[in-house]
Amino acid sequence: MVVDCLDNWPAREVLNRLAVKHRKPLVHAGVARWYGQATTVIPGRTACLACIYPKGMRSETPIPVIGPTPGVLGAVEAAEAIRVLIGEEPGLAGKLLIMDLSAGAFEVVKVRRRPDCPVCGGLGFGE
Ligand SMILES: [Zn+2]
């Protein structure tokens, strides 16, 4: 299993490719300011990061962050990692949590694999 705690998108793309290639679950979270998102990638079964963000994301340097933002999403990642480790379905497998702490808003949306995904499209579907 891989837990993504990176601070830039290019490194995250490399991590996504390696996790999919080696079929390791990838617990992802990213933050900026009051905002963040999280998902868990199960290679060959759920959307990978390239499926969700086919054009990647812009990385700021340095990334401005309000302290509670990574605190909340770090706890979410820990819960997802524990679910993977105990062999239970992670709550965010195939889903994306989008968080805006400035509005106290949390939304979970379903995300789907893209057949044309350059990272995981070759794994086939239904595996
Ligand atoms: Zn993909």
Side-chain angles (χ1 to χ4, degrees), residues 34-36 98-107:
W34 299 95
Y35 310 98
I98 303 163
M99 179 185 82
D100 176 0
L101 288 180
S102 70
F106 294 78
E107 184 175 2

Side-chain angles (χ1 to χ4, degrees), residues 85-127:
L85 289 173
I86 65 173
E88 298 290 336
E89 180 77 0
L92 293 176
K95 300 173 192 167
L96 180 69
L97 168 67
I98 303 163
M99 179 185 82
D100 176 0
L101 288 180
S102 70
F106 294 78
E107 184 175 2
V108 176
V109 297
K110 288 185 178 178
V111 289
R112 297 183 188 277
R113 289 184 65 201
R114 297 170 52 102
D116 62 342
C117 176
V119 175
C120 75
L123 291 182
F125 284 74
E127 296 180 40

Side-chain angles (χ1 to χ4, degrees), residues 33-52:
R33 299 181 178 83
W34 299 95
Y35 310 98
Q37 78 280 337
T39 189
T40 297
V41 176
I42 309 295
R45 195 162 64 77
T46 68
C48 79
L49 297 184
C51 292
I52 300 170

Side-chain angles (χ1 to χ4, degrees), residues 18-64:
L18 289 171
V20 169
K21 178 181 177 183
H22 296 287
R23 294 185 178 243
K24 300 293 183 190
L26 169 63
V27 178
H28 157 75
V31 298
R33 299 181 178 83
W34 299 95
Y35 310 98
Q37 78 280 337
T39 189
T40 297
V41 176
I42 309 295
R45 195 162 64 77
T46 68
C48 79
L49 297 184
C51 292
I52 300 170
Y53 304 102
K55 296 180 180 174
M57 290 185 82
R58 184 173 52 91
S59 292
E60 296 178 70
T61 305
I63 301 171

